[in-house]
């Protein structure tokens, strides 16, 4: 398996070809065009999960509502975060939003328009003004394709369908990654003074998710295995409207355009949970409301009777023309995957795992923290895998694409600036290549009795059962015990495919190892936070507790267990207050 060439040198290695990775690459190309950049992704870049983003990207352009302001955007974001977001990071997000959106427009992104030609903006959950810019309900597609096409003009080497197995960190300096070419089975070290992770989320840790099959938290798993902490991993976003039963997303844009949520009694039940915002309450509150309706017997069965596993999302009153103009993709998804014509029938929905608020802890320039006080030299992270933290305990819709472009750009700029002073990494490539080759051989050789899909399903079921919308210590302890059993079972996995070429089973084995680590970190972090805040709801601690838990969790993984430390929350603009809608 070992190839002749063992190591390739670059100025920057970016892992991840989604919005965050591509936007960071573009900024480095603009500011330091001579820098050789490697952009590595296990899927082709334009198949990254960003391409599936639907509803839009928030920015106070004031095209629809002249009363809007960045301060209002920042306040909505901080309140949405249940006051856990770092407010200096949120201020940057809101202040830089209009300029990144205009820049995207100049790159060629085809945003939907107002009749006078300016970029259209729609209402979104938790935002008090209509400020979400969109391209129908295919916004991620429109943005990612333009970014990728623009990158083709520059000095970027694309490693598409290369899987990164390991992050190399020695003495708190990131030095490179070990990468595996899926097509040929070749292993290579990509070395650079700056490594950027933009590896996306981990929705596949759960059994029902809106995320891509590739959203397996690899970047988080690799960071944890390198002995670095992960921040606020207990905060898992459940999107209120996953299509039942597939779990794929019915965008919040549908409620932004005026859809109703109805229970078995035909009641717009959000009136009891968030009377002032109704269907446009933040996602944590709306998901909990739906889960309670289902739990208390007001969900709906497929034959329309009460007591079932879903509620209805009803758009019939919007009329065919508006549905087909504004939310055509959602209509198509409901039609294709649930056989529902949303023009004449309501859509069956229930909460689905959607987004990771936590991630690799970074400062305002995307540089990764080694612990509460020190940074890792040459290691950066941006996008969903990073935690800067602008979303705190709960993200508002259309703020994630925004985070990817604002912090992708900032991190790219920081790398371009830091590069001349970053030390040139020295490392022994054979050590890492041989370790990776041994790991692969070991997977081929272990003749167990478990298939990957079986074990993965058990991990996903365990997390869904024990660490869902509602949590208790007792339940999570049981989840952790079950997870320990599943971790041990990884040694019993048998691979049927032992080819070097296009061995997707091998890739799934690597991904499963990361899922197991991420799952454990989520559960441990969730157990240690004895309060309810945002998406983390503890039935045994139903109140928010600012005295003890207005702080970020830092969870550091090692083979003996997980250590929990804390990081203060930065509060510069809005003192914490009670959160009502
Ligand atoms: C269905 C859906 C709809 C959404 N709609 C919206 C919306 O309307 N507005 C909004 O703001 N947000 C939305 N979100 C959230 C938002 O799309 C994501 O948070 C964001 O796009 C993440 O971008 P990213 O660049 O961080 O990662 P991704 O786009 O997920 O890209 C991750 C990249 O990392 C690569 N990668 C991962 N692991 C490895 C590895 N081991 N080796 C090599 N490469 C690797 C992948 O190949 C990929 O290129 C939506 C999310 C979903 C799932």
């Amino acid at each position: 398996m070992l190839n002749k060439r063992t190591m390739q040198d670059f100025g920057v290695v970016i892992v991840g070809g989604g919005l965050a990775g591509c936007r960071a690459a573009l900024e480095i190309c603009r500011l330091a065009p001579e820098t050789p950049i490697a952009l590595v992704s296990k899927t082709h870049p334009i198949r990254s999960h960003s391409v599936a983003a639907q509803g839009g990207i928030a920015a106070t352009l004031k095209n629809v509502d002249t009363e809007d302001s960045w301060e209002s955007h920042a306040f909505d974001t901080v309140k949405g975060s249940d006051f856990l977001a770092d407010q200096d990071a949120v201020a940057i997000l809101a202040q830089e939003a209009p300029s990144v959106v205009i820049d995207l427009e100049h790159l060629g992104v085809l945003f939907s328009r107002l009749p006078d030609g300016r970029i259209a903006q729609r209402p979104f959950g938790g935002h008090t003004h209509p400020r979400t810019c969109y391209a129908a309900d295919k916004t991620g597609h429109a943005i990612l394709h333009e970014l990728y096409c623009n990158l083709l003009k520059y000095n970027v080497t694309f490693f598409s369908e290369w899987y990164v197995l390991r992050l190399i960190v020695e003495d708190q300096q990131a030095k490179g990654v070990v990468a595996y070419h899926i097509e040929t089975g070749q292993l290579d070290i990509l070395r650079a003074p700056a490594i950027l992770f933009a590896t996306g989320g981990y929705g596949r840790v759960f059994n029902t998710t809106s995320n891509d099959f590739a959203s397996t938290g690899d970047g988080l798993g690799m960071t944890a295995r390198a002995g670095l902490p992960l921040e606020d991993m207990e905060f898992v976003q459940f999107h209120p409207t996953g299509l039942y039963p597939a779990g794929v997303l019915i965008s919040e844009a549908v409620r932004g355009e005026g859809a109703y949520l109805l229970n078995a009694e035909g009641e717009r039940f959000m009136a009891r949970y968030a009377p002032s915002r109704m269907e446009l309450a933040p996602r944590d509150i709306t998901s909990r409301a739906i889960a309670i309706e289902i739990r208390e017997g007001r969900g709906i069965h497929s034959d329309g009777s009460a007591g079932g596993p879903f509620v209805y999302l009803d758009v019939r009153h919007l009329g065919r023309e508006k549905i087909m103009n504004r939310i055509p993709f959602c209509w198509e998804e409901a039609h294709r995957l649930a056989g529902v014509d949303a023009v004449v029938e309501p859509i069956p929905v229930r909460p689905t795992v959607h987004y990771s608020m936590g991630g690799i802890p970074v400062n305002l320039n995307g540089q990764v923290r080694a612990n509460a006080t020190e940074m890792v030299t040459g290691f950066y992270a941006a996008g969903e895998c990073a935690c800067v933290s602008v979303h705190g305990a709960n993200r508002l819709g259309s703020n994630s694409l925004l985070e990817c472009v604002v912090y992708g750009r900032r991190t790219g700029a920081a790398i371009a600036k830091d590069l001349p002073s970053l030390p040139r990494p020295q490392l022994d490539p054979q050590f890492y290549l041989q370790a990776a080759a041994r790991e692969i051989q070991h997977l081929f050789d272990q003749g167990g009795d478990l298939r990957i899909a079986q074990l993965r399903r058990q991990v996903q079921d365990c997390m869904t059962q024990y660490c869902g919308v509602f949590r208790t210590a007792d339940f999570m302890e049981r989840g952790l015990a079950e997870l320990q059993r599943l971790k041990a079972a990884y040694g019993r996995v048998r691979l049927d495919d032992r080819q070097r070429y296009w061995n997707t089973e091998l890739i799934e084995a690597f991904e499963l190892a990361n899922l197991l680590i991420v799952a454990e970190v989520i559960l441990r972090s969730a157990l240690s936070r004895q309060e309810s805040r945002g998406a983390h709801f503890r039935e045994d601690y139903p109140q928010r507790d600012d005295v003890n838990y207005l702080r970020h969790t830092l969870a550091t993984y090692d083979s003996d267990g997980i250590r929990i430390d804390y990081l203060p929350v930065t509060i510069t603009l809005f003192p914490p207050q009670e959160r009502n809608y």
Side-chain angles (χ1 to χ4, degrees):
M1 169 155 320
L2 287 187
N3 38 293
K4 290 193 200 74
R5 190 184 58 208
T6 53
M7 185 151 73
Q8 301 189 55
D9 274 303
F10 292 91
V12 186
V13 171
I14 299 175
V15 186
L19 230 61
C22 285
R23 187 61 190 82
L26 182 66
E27 200 60 17
I28 300 166
C29 293
R30 283 175 172 172
L31 298 177
E34 302 306 319
T35 310
I37 300 174
L39 196 149
V40 196
S41 56
K42 63 177 177 177
T43 60
H44 188 280
I46 57 172
R47 296 203 62 228
S48 303
H49 187 60
S50 294
V51 84
Q54 302 177 0
I57 176 165
T60 52
L61 296 181
K62 308 186 197 185
N63 290 352
V64 171
D65 185 345
T66 51
E67 301 289 293
D68 201 3
S69 64
W70 78 260
E71 291 90 343
S72 164
H73 186 183
F75 178 72
D76 292 346
T77 301
V78 169
K79 183 176 172 190
S81 83
D82 218 345
F83 295 89
L84 191 69
D86 285 322
Q87 298 184 11
D88 50 352
V90 172
I92 288 172
L93 183 83
Q95 282 167 337
E96 295 190 4
S99 71
V100 292
V101 169
I102 298 296
D103 183 55
L104 289 173
E105 150 117 318
H106 290 172
L107 285 175
V109 176
L110 290 170
F111 286 108
S112 294
R113 302 278 152 185
L114 295 169
D116 66 5
R118 288 174 303 152
I119 295 174
Q121 298 189 276
R122 60 168 46 127
F124 237 72
H127 291 278
T128 49
H129 298 269
R131 60 169 76 101
T132 297
C133 313
Y134 56 95
D137 52 1
K138 302 171 185 177
T139 313
H141 187 278
I143 300 177
L144 187 60
H145 278 70
E146 257 354 298
L147 273 178
Y148 176 72
C149 288
N150 274 278
L151 277 182
L152 296 177
K153 293 188 288 205
Y154 292 100
N155 188 16
V156 178
T157 308
F158 289 93
F159 289 81
S160 294
E161 295 171 335
W162 282 71
Y163 185 91
V164 172
L165 281 170
R166 180 168 183 177
L167 165 71
I168 301 174
V169 179
E170 293 172 352
D171 304 324
Q172 250 164 259
Q173 182 193 353
K175 299 185 168 179
V177 297
V178 183
Y180 174 86
H181 190 202
I182 300 172
E183 190 185 336
T184 62
Q186 176 188 322
L187 282 168
D188 229 329
I189 306 275
L190 307 180
R191 178 171 68 171
I195 311 292
L196 166 61
F197 269 17
T199 48
Y202 56 59
R204 291 282 151 189
V205 169
F206 293 81
N207 67 17
T208 307
T209 174
S210 66
N211 284 192
D212 184 9
F213 284 100
S215 300
T216 51
D218 297 342
L220 303 168
M222 285 187 273
T223 303
R225 271 186 286 143
L228 300 173
L230 297 177
E231 181 174 349
D232 288 344
M233 291 290 284
E234 59 274 36
F235 299 104
V236 178
Q237 179 161 78
F238 290 78
H239 193 291
T241 59
L243 183 66
Y244 177 84
V248 302
L249 187 72
I250 298 295
S251 172
E252 192 165 302
V254 175
R255 280 170 291 136
E257 296 295 344
Y260 300 150
L261 282 167
L262 304 175
N263 62 16
E265 292 156 15
E267 178 202 10
R268 279 181 75 188
F269 55 86
M270 286 309 294
R272 283 186 276 113
Y273 299 93
S276 74
R277 298 292 297 163
M278 294 295 287
E279 281 83 0
L280 287 178
R283 291 177 176 172
D284 54 338
I285 291 171
T286 313
S287 287
R288 262 194 304 278
I290 295 174
I292 291 171
E293 291 299 298
I294 292 171
R295 195 154 83 165
E296 295 184 350
R298 293 184 294 278
I300 304 165
H301 282 294
S302 300
D303 64 3
S305 62
F310 59 80
V311 297
Y312 280 142
L313 182 68
D314 192 355
V315 294
R316 289 173 294 182
H317 55 286
L318 301 181
R320 176 178 295 277
E321 198 187 324
K322 191 165 179 186
I323 293 171
M324 292 311 184
N325 255 321
R326 303 279 182 85
I327 46 173
F329 184 65
C330 291
W331 179 88
E332 188 194 313
E333 272 190 314
H335 195 247
R336 185 161 37 88
L337 298 169
V340 167
D341 175 357
V343 174
V344 293
E345 300 164 89
I347 306 169
V349 295
R350 61 176 296 159
T352 187
V353 167
H354 184 59
Y355 184 80
S356 153
M357 267 77 71
I360 304 168
V362 293
N363 68 12
L364 298 175
N365 292 322
Q367 197 179 355
V368 175
R369 295 180 193 281
N371 50 50
T373 51
E374 295 168 299
M375 310 306 287
V376 186
T377 305
F379 188 30
Y380 303 80
E384 187 168 341
C385 74
C387 182
V388 55
S389 123
V390 286
H391 311 301
N394 173 64
R395 166 174 83 86
L396 295 189
S398 71
N399 265 352
S400 169
L401 293 182
L402 180 62
E403 179 191 4
C404 288
V405 284
V406 166
Y407 281 94
R409 176 170 82 168
R410 281 184 76 84
T411 306
I415 291 173
K417 182 165 158 283
D418 294 349
L419 264 179
S421 58
L422 285 174
R424 286 198 65 76
Q426 302 297 325
L427 62 91
D428 171 9
Q430 286 310 330
F431 172 80
Y432 291 101
L433 288 170
Q434 282 166 10
R438 269 200 309 277
E439 199 185 323
I440 292 169
Q441 197 56 47
H442 184 74
L443 278 167
F444 284 153
D445 291 344
Q446 71 180 26
D449 55 351
L450 263 179
R451 307 301 308 275
I452 296 211
Q454 269 175 310
L455 183 57
R456 184 174 56 214
R457 189 70 199 179
Q458 289 173 32
V459 175
Q460 293 168 333
D461 287 347
C462 167
M463 288 302 284
T464 306
Q465 182 172 4
Y466 296 112
C467 203
V469 175
F470 299 106
R471 300 166 173 181
T472 63
D474 176 42
F475 233 58
M476 288 188 286
E477 293 284 7
R478 273 194 266 166
L480 265 175
E482 170 73 358
L483 212 54
Q484 294 307 326
R485 193 184 67 73
L486 298 173
K487 239 167 94 178
Y490 188 77
R492 286 178 24 226
V493 157
R494 181 187 81 240
L495 301 192
D496 284 339
D497 186 353
R498 295 173 192 194
Q499 303 278 335
R500 305 293 184 214
Y501 306 105
W502 273 110
N503 189 335
T504 50
E505 214 187 5
L506 181 65
I507 300 300
E508 287 178 33
F510 298 148
E511 290 175 341
L512 179 55
N514 288 319
L515 287 182
L516 278 161
I517 293 176
V518 172
E520 193 178 345
V521 177
I522 293 173
L523 260 170
R524 273 266 169 244
S525 306
L527 250 175
S528 77
R529 184 174 285 276
Q530 297 181 338
E531 65 156 354
S532 291
R533 185 186 296 272
H536 174 68
F537 191 85
R538 295 276 304 249
E539 290 185 288
D540 43 358
Y541 298 96
Q543 303 303 325
R544 193 174 88 193
D545 175 0
D546 284 346
V547 175
N548 294 304
Y549 290 102
L550 184 56
R551 55 186 182 176
H552 299 290
T553 310
L554 283 186
T556 310
Y557 182 89
D558 72 43
S559 46
D560 299 335
I562 291 169
R563 195 183 69 242
I564 302 287
D565 300 302
Y566 295 97
L567 204 63
V569 176
T570 308
I571 297 173
T572 48
L573 299 166
F574 314 110
Q577 51 178 251
E578 205 186 333
R579 183 170 173 249
N580 290 319
Y581 289 94

